[in-house]
Amino acid sequence: MEVVGLLLCVAAAVLAWGFLWVWDSWERMKSPEQAGLPGGGSRTLLVTAHPDDEAMFFAPTVLGLARLRHQVSLLCFSAGNYYNQGETRKKELLQSCDVLGIPPSNVMIIDNRDFPDDPGVRWDTERVADVLLRHVEARRINLVVTFDARGVSGHGNHVALYAAARTLHTEGKLPKGCLVLTLQSVNLLRKYLSLLDLPCSLLLARDALFVLSRREVAQAQRHKGLPWWCSGKESTCPRTHSGEKTPSSISGAGKTGQLHVKE
């Protein structure tokens, strides 16, 4: 009986510790300053590979940053012409950005042979980095948000964006104080757990967590032409990002988007 009692005490202590850890993580993530994120009025550049990336993977992050009064711009490196629907997808991208609160004047779409919408084509890292740096400098960007080394879905175009951002960071070419946050890829199980993944995200998160309000979720779901059924991790499921401040990370899913900054 003594052994059983001891085990119950240990289990209770572990549960209490876990609860306090989750609570502390939740409280810490309410403050963007503690995450090392730029404050209100900061200029953020979301860097994507194709039209719909901003909705499928980054919607909670965009809405969360807007709530923090960030001025969000979008740089999309292709028109999404893999199925010869580039013109249609460019229009859909502008509609999607309107729903997410990104004005047309802040949306840049690159339609260039150097960056074809094709998972089998490896984009040149130096060319991507050069274009990215020019936009960062021209818009005096404080925060860059893009994919991580696995690109969430493993798409080669997504991975190329990370490689370029990483290159600019490691070579010290980014303007002083410019942070880079990357969307953290997760395994297939966590990707489709939806809000059930929230405790795990809280435990693994180190800096900030975005939990969207009902109004923000409704705002994101206004665009009926987009797949809001949990594609990637940020549309209807929780998500995580890693980043570069050094590299940084953002996590989030559908209703949650969490940001980590690696020091």
Side-chain angles (χ1 to χ4, degrees), residues 17-86:
W17 173 78
F19 174 79
L20 291 174
W21 186 8
V22 169
W23 180 264
D24 179 65
S25 298
W26 180 268
E27 290 299 315
R28 283 189 297 108
M29 308 234 167
K30 290 180 180 179
S31 172
E33 289 78 11
Q34 292 185 29
L37 296 176
S42 296
R43 294 171 294 276
T44 295
L45 181 65
L46 173 61
V47 184
T48 62
H50 319 104
D52 76 15
D53 288 347
E54 78 293 335
M56 293 176 68
F57 306 117
F58 294 99
T61 300
V62 171
L63 293 173
L65 289 171
R67 188 199 316 149
L68 296 176
R69 301 187 307 280
H70 279 223
Q71 300 173 21
V72 181
S73 298
L74 172 67
L75 175 61
C76 183
F77 266 81
S78 82
N81 201 40
Y82 188 68
Y83 294 107
N84 297 316
Q85 297 177 333

Side-chain angles (χ1 to χ4, degrees), residues 8-9 28 34 63 66 70 83 85 111 115 118 126 133 145 160 177 196 199 204-205 215 230 234 260:
L8 289 175
C9 288
R28 283 189 297 108
Q34 292 185 29
L63 293 173
H70 279 223
Y83 294 107
Q85 297 177 333
D111 194 355
F115 311 121
D118 189 338
E126 292 301 323
L133 181 59
V145 178
L196 294 177
L204 296 178
R215 180 183 60 79
C230 188
E234 197 127 342
H260 315 313

Side-chain angles (χ1 to χ4, degrees), residues 1 5 16 59 65 67 77 79 128 158 160 162 165 169 186 192 197 203-204 231-232:
M1 293 297 293
L65 289 171
R67 188 199 316 149
F77 266 81
V128 176
H158 297 178
Y162 169 81
H169 174 263
V186 298
Y192 291 99
D197 184 54
L203 289 172
L204 296 178
S231 174

Side-chain angles (χ1 to χ4, degrees), residues 11 20 32 47 57 64 70 78 91 99 104 121 127 136-137 159 163 186 197 199 210 222 233 251 253:
L20 291 174
V47 184
F57 306 117
H70 279 223
S78 82
K91 294 177 182 177
V99 171
V121 176
R127 288 185 180 179
V136 167
E137 292 177 336
V159 175
V186 298
D197 184 54
F210 288 131
R222 274 173 46 202
K233 204 187 152 204
S251 330

Side-chain angles (χ1 to χ4, degrees), residues 117-137:
D117 174 10
D118 189 338
V121 176
R122 183 177 181 83
W123 292 352
D124 183 85
T125 299
E126 292 301 323
R127 288 185 180 179
V128 176
D130 179 63
V131 173
L132 174 56
L133 181 59
R134 282 192 276 117
H135 281 82
V136 167
E137 292 177 336

